[in-house]
Amino acid sequence: MKRRELLPGIESVGAVDWDRRLFDSLIPLPDGTSYNAYLVRGRDRTALIDTVDPTKADTLWAHLEHVERIDDLVIQHVEQDHSGLAPAILARYPEVRILSTPKAQTMIADHLGIPAARVTPVADGEAVPLGGKTLQFVHAPWVHWPETMLTYVPEDRLLFTCDLFGSHLATSSLFASEVEHLEGSAKRYYAEIMMPFAKTIRGHLEKVRKLDVAVIAPSHGPVHNQPEKILSAYETWVIGPPRNLVLIPYVTMHGSTGKMIEHLVEALAARGVPAIPFNLPVTDLGAYAIHLVDAATVVFGTPTVLVGPHPNVVLAAALTAALRPKLKHAAVIGSYGWAGKAAETVLALAAGLGAEWLPSVFARGLPTDETFEALDRLADTIAERHRGLS
Ligand code: FEO
């Protein structure tokens, strides 16, 4: 994509990555992503807000081809998909002043090899005039790293937000109003990146609400030119109560656990509780993470491999605990051949959830009438716990 004007004096100079399918060698990106960088031109100074992932260096250089001077490079977040080309910017514009939070100053040295003395820390609320435009910094630690900040341009009521409010979505559209189904991409991003920090994100939302923002320009995905949509979506995800929804990440090897999952889904539905099974070997874990934003209960379903849970369930349990969702209740069901400790292992892996653990249900070999009755009792308990949830 070419360099594009966001507002008079403010251009988008980042890169769209249509082909990227994995982030951090972990997170699936079914729709690609973008690394947004922005050029802010004042009468007296020109600032670059973030850079792009080093794999897209050619795009950034093409966008900066006729930019002879950059006075300030604002590093809002040190993760390399945004800061990775800072050393190259420094080489190309040797007089540039690098601005970051004090916390980022040392992290820039650690991760990018730029000496701390070469970085100018800015205080929360500090303003840097560019001439007709002002950069006003808002410290926002733990968007998902400890050093992050946002940058507000009061003259345009525009807020640059680094990862906050971003979407892993490759699109030729600059603005969110031109993109259908953006909320799904934004929710996936929130679930995978920010949900573990929901408490601090809540504080950031309150700060952003006080700024009277007209445009939100994140570092991934389209620019929110109708910010109320993304702000109210975040408030629902972060502050809203859990919903009447059960997630069932599971594996079945010879069908016993599969039969139990099928029975439980129907038993829950009969009691007015929607449930979504995720057959882990063929599941996009990102889709599971999206639903973790809302669900009140998770039930892990696992056969016994050697003496423990199936490795895919081990991963799902660890991931679920790491994402720190709003889940209030959890359980483990499954099957075993002759003996095993699958339930105990899942409980230990997901102990950090802080959820109420409901009684486990395990079958030796094929599930029996007694197994199905135990699953009905589990469904009764979940329905009772979900009473009042919408
Ligand atoms: Fe998009 Fe935390 O980097």
Side-chain angles (χ1 to χ4, degrees):
M1 300 304 304
K2 291 194 184 321
R3 166 171 123 187
R4 291 172 292 181
E5 185 177 76
L6 207 66
L7 290 168
I10 300 181
E11 293 164 287
S12 171
V13 294
V16 178
D17 195 337
W18 299 93
D19 298 326
R20 189 155 181 180
R21 287 292 173 269
L22 204 57
F23 197 83
D24 289 347
S25 298
L26 172 68
I27 298 167
L29 303 182
D31 302 313
T33 192
S34 69
Y35 319 106
N36 301 340
Y38 302 95
L39 201 62
V40 182
R41 296 176 193 266
R43 270 193 319 273
D44 308 319
R45 300 178 73 83
T46 295
L48 178 64
I49 312 293
D50 294 321
T51 71
V52 303
D53 189 274
T55 57
K56 291 291 175 186
D58 288 351
T59 306
L60 183 64
W61 299 140
H63 289 164
L64 297 180
E65 188 180 355
H66 301 297
V67 178
E68 289 177 4
R69 212 185 77 200
I70 292 177
D71 300 287
D72 297 300
L73 169 62
V74 178
I75 298 182
Q76 302 188 106
H77 174 28
V78 181
E79 194 166 14
Q80 291 86 339
D81 53 324
H82 309 296
S83 71
L85 286 181
I89 290 285
L90 194 53
R92 180 170 166 148
Y93 303 97
E95 305 300 319
V96 72
R97 180 174 61 170
I98 299 175
L99 305 175
S100 77
T101 62
K103 179 75 179 172
Q105 190 180 17
T106 50
M107 293 178 71
I108 287 168
D110 292 341
H111 293 276
L112 303 172
I114 296 174
R118 193 62 189 74
V119 178
T120 303
V122 292
D124 186 27
E126 186 172 336
V128 168
L130 305 179
K133 291 196 187 296
T134 309
L135 304 181
Q136 188 178 314
F137 301 107
V138 180
H139 287 194
W142 295 112
V143 165
H144 80 118
W145 279 26
E147 85 305 2
T148 33
M149 67 177 184
L150 321 180
T151 306
Y152 188 52
V153 182
E155 292 85 353
D156 296 302
R157 296 169 54 214
L158 183 150
L159 184 65
F160 300 107
T161 56
C162 68
D163 283 338
L164 189 61
F165 308 122
S167 327
H168 277 313
L169 177 67
T171 170
S172 55
S173 298
L174 180 58
F175 292 108
S177 59
E178 301 159 6
V179 179
E180 284 186 50
H181 313 305
L182 177 64
E183 186 169 324
S185 295
K187 191 173 184 179
R188 172 186 283 266
Y189 191 76
Y190 168 77
E192 292 172 342
I193 306 290
M194 279 163 233
M195 187 159 60
F197 307 100
K199 282 187 184 150
T200 56
I201 299 292
R202 182 177 186 152
H204 301 334
L205 283 172
E206 287 165 6
K207 270 188 173 179
V208 171
R209 279 292 189 192
K210 288 180 186 154
L211 285 175
D212 186 25
V213 172
V215 180
I216 287 176
S219 298
H220 296 286
V223 170
H224 301 285
N225 51 339
Q226 297 168 337
E228 185 54 37
K229 281 189 181 176
I230 191 70
L231 287 171
S232 56
Y234 259 70
E235 281 162 354
T236 300
W237 303 336
V238 173
I239 302 165
R243 289 184 44 218
N244 175 27
L245 177 63
V246 176
L247 307 185
I248 310 179
Y250 78 98
V251 174
T252 189
M253 288 162 61
H254 299 292
S256 292
T257 302
K259 285 189 176 75
M260 295 172 67
I261 302 301
E262 200 175 316
H263 185 93
L264 182 62
V265 169
E266 290 195 9
L268 286 166
R271 290 159 177 77
V273 180
I276 307 176
F278 295 88
N279 187 358
L280 290 171
V282 294
T283 287
D284 165 9
L285 279 175
Y288 169 63
I290 289 171
H291 289 289
L292 277 174
V293 174
D294 300 315
T297 297
V298 63
V299 177
F300 298 98
T302 183
T304 301
V305 178
L306 302 176
V307 294
H310 189 283
N312 285 32
V313 177
V314 170
L315 173 62
L319 180 71
T320 304
L323 291 178
R324 294 191 221 163
K326 297 173 196 164
L327 292 167
K328 298 294 182 201
H329 319 286
V332 192
I333 66 174
S335 56
Y336 59 95
W338 47 95
K341 293 189 176 296
E344 293 90 327
T345 306
V346 172
L347 247 79
L349 285 165
L353 279 177
E356 174 200 18
W357 286 92
L358 305 176
S360 305
V361 180
F362 268 74
R364 190 174 68 220
L366 292 169
T368 62
D369 288 348
E370 282 179 6
T371 313
F372 293 130
E373 284 164 16
L375 290 172
D376 287 341
R377 287 195 293 277
L378 177 60
D380 284 339
T381 306
I382 292 172
E384 190 272 321
R385 297 291 197 276
H386 281 213
R387 199 168 296 144
L389 299 182
S390 55

